[in-house]
Amino acid sequence: MRITDLLTKDTILLNMTASSKPEAIDELIGKLDQAGKLNNRDEFKQAIEAREQQSTTGIGEGIAIPHAKTGAVKEPAIVFGRSQEGLDYESLDGQPTNLFFMIAASEGANNAHLETLSGLSTFLMDNNFRTKLEEAKTEDDVIEAINAKEAEEKGEEETDNASESKILAVTACPTGIAHTFMAADKLKATAKEMGVNIKVQTNGSGGVKNRLTKEDIAEADAIIVAADTKVEMEGFHGKPVIEVPVAKAIHEPKELIEKAVNKDAPIYQGGGSNQSSEGSEEKGQRSGIYKHLMNGVSNMLPFVVGGGILIAISFFWGINSANPDSGEYNRFAEMLNTIGGANAFFLLVPVLAGFIASSIADRPGFAPGMIGGLIAITQTSAEGAGNGSGFLGGLIAGFLAGYITLGIKKALEGLPAVLDGLKTVLFYPVLAIFATGMIMLLINPALTSVYTWLFDLLDSMSGTNLALLGLIVGGMMAVDMGGPVNKAAYTFGIAALEANNYTFIAAAMAGGMVPPLAMGLATTFFKNKFTKQERETGKAAYPLGAFFITEGAIPFAAADPARVIPSMVAGSALAGMLTMLFGIGLRAPHGGVIVAPLVEGGFMQIILYLVAIAAGSILGAIVVGFLKKDIKKA
């Protein structure tokens, strides 16, 4: 279905008068009603508002796509609205919204409206297309711009289909937000330039998009898997598969596509085993253990963020507000702390271990991994001290359970086929849980002693050594901005937080906030160094940095890594070092400025924490401004 089958001249508003989100919704619905597209205006408004309550449809970049499927719609339609001044639509990037596409789908309609929504979202990521809509003087200009864009996309598909080679790709990163889609875009854009037919599946935070079908795989010459977390690959059996970190697809897409076209890749045999070749060495050396680790970390993060923020909120009633024996006690605060600390945080290590094990041995590895992780945090040292071996024990339990399960699967391959049904429900879980549990019970007391000694050592460090650690932790947060180095530093901060050391997470959070803030400052004060689009992206980087979303700086790093990354590392390292020197302690693992009031030590410590972040951001902005050339001279 074409967009212009649903969007007509009588559903276009070029000069909206609304100044708020509710007014914008009313004005757009009014246009639909006026065009005779609705059976019941009030019911349709209720459906739109119900969708907005689930999550805002303000997708950022000045765009909102409110939509609903309801019997209140007489005829499927789209209304386009444009606000010259822009208004606050609670968009994901916090910026004003000026372009609106409201989709109205009737109750009996198929999923065509969702496909149209997807198409719109893709089109609106094109800066040139958005500019045409923003500059359109008449309704005909809007229709013409949309038709031209659809024709352009159709032409691209025809060009792809004319290619003799057919390449498939899958992109995935631990958080499924930034790297996943940047890698997909890079591969598609490069393939278009090379005249290569490519289809890319994205395993993002919202689920799998553009899923590869059996027919796609059967027709493919080769498959690129650019992933830092587990990807389902059993369907790729017998095909040349190139496995690389997701960052490689961002920085070296041409080389990957050339390898795929030449079938310069190992043949995937299933069960994580490829035929050996030069193409497999690069991935095998770096990505095996790393990929399993990132699968654990990425699945652990929701527990960290959700539980950590709830714990942080409980502290608004006082640090001891969850303790019934304290004068600060508050029942609601105790409930928040119970949910976040006694439950969500309690599951961190078991979840980490479970998903590491399942990455290694697929689903049969999950249960023994969880059990091993639980033993890690509940069994004490040989002397009865400590609270288990924490993250160290969880990591070991995850890999132990995964490889034990993998070994059991191999050992039972020779059983009669009639027993296949019993393997997954009986043999695998019983044997793997038993073996993992027994080994963890034997080694965990020693691991607990090591873990306790390590964090006692960290607690004892002060002065120059502590500043150096802060510099390293902060700098690591900016090396790949959401990638493995960043995640390693952040996970270390979480581990320290679990061990009641609150300084490392403060350094990690400060270091992670700096890159987007620094790039926002750089695009504001060094305008001649950046394109118009980069300056617009810089505006969005401010709120992303403020809320500890380091990925907000990735567009700049991907475009100019040689200058941007060292600048950001310098700024983040300074912020991390200063937080350590200032003795900043923070019990919240996420949130950015939201949790700054929870810095331990009172008002002055809060100010010093903000000073550390500001100092790092300013340094990063100055360095990148110095290193980058003027656009006209470049």
mmCIF file of all heavy atoms in Angstrom, residues 129 132-133 140-150:
data_model
loop_
_atom_site.group_PDB
_atom_site.id
_atom_site.type_symbol
_atom_site.label_atom_id
_atom_site.label_comp_id
_atom_site.label_asym_id
_atom_site.label_seq_id
_atom_site.Cartn_x
_atom_site.Cartn_y
_atom_site.Cartn_z
ATOM 1 N N PHE A 129 14.528 14.166 2.588
ATOM 2 C CA PHE A 129 13.076 14.008 2.532
ATOM 3 C C PHE A 129 12.398 14.901 3.570
ATOM 4 O O PHE A 129 11.404 15.572 3.274
ATOM 5 C CB PHE A 129 12.708 12.543 2.770
ATOM 6 C CG PHE A 129 11.223 12.280 2.792
ATOM 7 C CD1 PHE A 129 10.443 12.533 1.681
ATOM 8 C CD2 PHE A 129 10.610 11.772 3.929
ATOM 9 C CE1 PHE A 129 9.070 12.279 1.689
ATOM 10 C CE2 PHE A 129 9.251 11.522 3.958
ATOM 11 C CZ PHE A 129 8.488 11.775 2.832
ATOM 12 N N LYS A 132 12.351 18.469 2.438
ATOM 13 C CA LYS A 132 11.311 18.750 1.436
ATOM 14 C C LYS A 132 9.956 18.961 2.101
ATOM 15 O O LYS A 132 9.187 19.838 1.695
ATOM 16 C CB LYS A 132 11.237 17.585 0.437
ATOM 17 C CG LYS A 132 12.420 17.524 -0.517
ATOM 18 C CD LYS A 132 12.270 16.354 -1.482
ATOM 19 C CE LYS A 132 13.464 16.271 -2.427
ATOM 20 N NZ LYS A 132 13.359 15.124 -3.364
ATOM 21 N N LEU A 133 9.667 18.146 3.116
ATOM 22 C CA LEU A 133 8.394 18.322 3.824
ATOM 23 C C LEU A 133 8.368 19.644 4.587
ATOM 24 O O LEU A 133 7.341 20.329 4.637
ATOM 25 C CB LEU A 133 8.165 17.161 4.794
ATOM 26 C CG LEU A 133 7.974 15.773 4.182
ATOM 27 C CD1 LEU A 133 7.748 14.749 5.282
ATOM 28 C CD2 LEU A 133 6.798 15.756 3.207
ATOM 29 N N ASP A 140 0.220 19.941 -2.740
ATOM 30 C CA ASP A 140 0.767 19.193 -3.877
ATOM 31 C C ASP A 140 2.259 18.924 -3.695
ATOM 32 O O ASP A 140 2.762 17.872 -4.106
ATOM 33 C CB ASP A 140 0.537 19.961 -5.183
ATOM 34 C CG ASP A 140 -0.922 19.927 -5.616
ATOM 35 O OD1 ASP A 140 -1.590 18.915 -5.348
ATOM 36 O OD2 ASP A 140 -1.388 20.925 -6.202
ATOM 37 N N ASP A 141 2.973 19.859 -3.082
ATOM 38 C CA ASP A 141 4.405 19.668 -2.838
ATOM 39 C C ASP A 141 4.632 18.477 -1.902
ATOM 40 O O ASP A 141 5.591 17.714 -2.072
ATOM 41 C CB ASP A 141 5.014 20.933 -2.218
ATOM 42 C CG ASP A 141 5.085 22.094 -3.195
ATOM 43 O OD1 ASP A 141 5.002 21.839 -4.405
ATOM 44 O OD2 ASP A 141 5.226 23.245 -2.733
ATOM 45 N N VAL A 142 3.763 18.330 -0.901
ATOM 46 C CA VAL A 142 3.887 17.214 0.047
ATOM 47 C C VAL A 142 3.652 15.892 -0.669
ATOM 48 O O VAL A 142 4.428 14.930 -0.532
ATOM 49 C CB VAL A 142 2.883 17.371 1.214
ATOM 50 C CG1 VAL A 142 2.910 16.131 2.116
ATOM 51 C CG2 VAL A 142 3.205 18.618 2.023
ATOM 52 N N ILE A 143 2.564 15.810 -1.455
ATOM 53 C CA ILE A 143 2.242 14.595 -2.195
ATOM 54 C C ILE A 143 3.380 14.235 -3.148
ATOM 55 O O ILE A 143 3.797 13.060 -3.242
ATOM 56 C CB ILE A 143 0.931 14.769 -2.987
ATOM 57 C CG1 ILE A 143 -0.237 15.078 -2.040
ATOM 58 C CG2 ILE A 143 0.655 13.541 -3.840
ATOM 59 C CD1 ILE A 143 -0.616 13.951 -1.134
ATOM 60 N N GLU A 144 3.905 15.234 -3.833
ATOM 61 C CA GLU A 144 4.983 14.998 -4.796
ATOM 62 C C GLU A 144 6.242 14.471 -4.095
ATOM 63 O O GLU A 144 6.914 13.555 -4.597
ATOM 64 C CB GLU A 144 5.305 16.301 -5.540
ATOM 65 C CG GLU A 144 6.375 16.149 -6.602
ATOM 66 C CD GLU A 144 6.662 17.459 -7.319
ATOM 67 O OE1 GLU A 144 5.831 18.391 -7.250
ATOM 68 O OE2 GLU A 144 7.740 17.558 -7.949
ATOM 69 N N ALA A 145 6.575 15.033 -2.924
ATOM 70 C CA ALA A 145 7.766 14.609 -2.185
ATOM 71 C C ALA A 145 7.639 13.145 -1.749
ATOM 72 O O ALA A 145 8.592 12.365 -1.843
ATOM 73 C CB ALA A 145 7.977 15.508 -0.968
ATOM 74 N N ILE A 146 6.443 12.758 -1.287
ATOM 75 C CA ILE A 146 6.228 11.387 -0.837
ATOM 76 C C ILE A 146 6.285 10.416 -2.012
ATOM 77 O O ILE A 146 6.912 9.347 -1.941
ATOM 78 C CB ILE A 146 4.890 11.265 -0.095
ATOM 79 C CG1 ILE A 146 4.945 12.078 1.218
ATOM 80 C CG2 ILE A 146 4.549 9.808 0.206
ATOM 81 C CD1 ILE A 146 3.626 12.188 1.932
ATOM 82 N N ASN A 147 5.625 10.770 -3.111
ATOM 83 C CA ASN A 147 5.651 9.902 -4.294
ATOM 84 C C ASN A 147 7.073 9.721 -4.821
ATOM 85 O O ASN A 147 7.471 8.621 -5.217
ATOM 86 C CB ASN A 147 4.768 10.481 -5.398
ATOM 87 C CG ASN A 147 3.289 10.249 -5.123
ATOM 88 O OD1 ASN A 147 2.921 9.299 -4.436
ATOM 89 N ND2 ASN A 147 2.438 11.114 -5.647
ATOM 90 N N ALA A 148 7.847 10.812 -4.814
ATOM 91 C CA ALA A 148 9.226 10.742 -5.301
ATOM 92 C C ALA A 148 10.066 9.831 -4.408
ATOM 93 O O ALA A 148 10.893 9.052 -4.898
ATOM 94 C CB ALA A 148 9.828 12.143 -5.355
ATOM 95 N N LYS A 149 9.839 9.917 -3.096
ATOM 96 C CA LYS A 149 10.605 9.091 -2.168
ATOM 97 C C LYS A 149 10.249 7.617 -2.347
ATOM 98 O O LYS A 149 11.131 6.743 -2.335
ATOM 99 C CB LYS A 149 10.330 9.537 -0.728
ATOM 100 C CG LYS A 149 11.114 8.756 0.325
ATOM 101 C CD LYS A 149 12.602 8.928 0.155
ATOM 102 C CE LYS A 149 13.382 8.182 1.203
ATOM 103 N NZ LYS A 149 14.840 8.195 0.956
ATOM 104 N N GLU A 150 8.963 7.318 -2.507
ATOM 105 C CA GLU A 150 8.553 5.929 -2.713
ATOM 106 C C GLU A 150 9.115 5.383 -4.024
ATOM 107 O O GLU A 150 9.547 4.229 -4.102
ATOM 108 C CB GLU A 150 7.035 5.822 -2.705
ATOM 109 C CG GLU A 150 6.439 5.984 -1.310
ATOM 110 C CD GLU A 150 4.970 5.615 -1.239
ATOM 111 O OE1 GLU A 150 4.195 6.131 -2.061
ATOM 112 O OE2 GLU A 150 4.608 4.814 -0.366
#
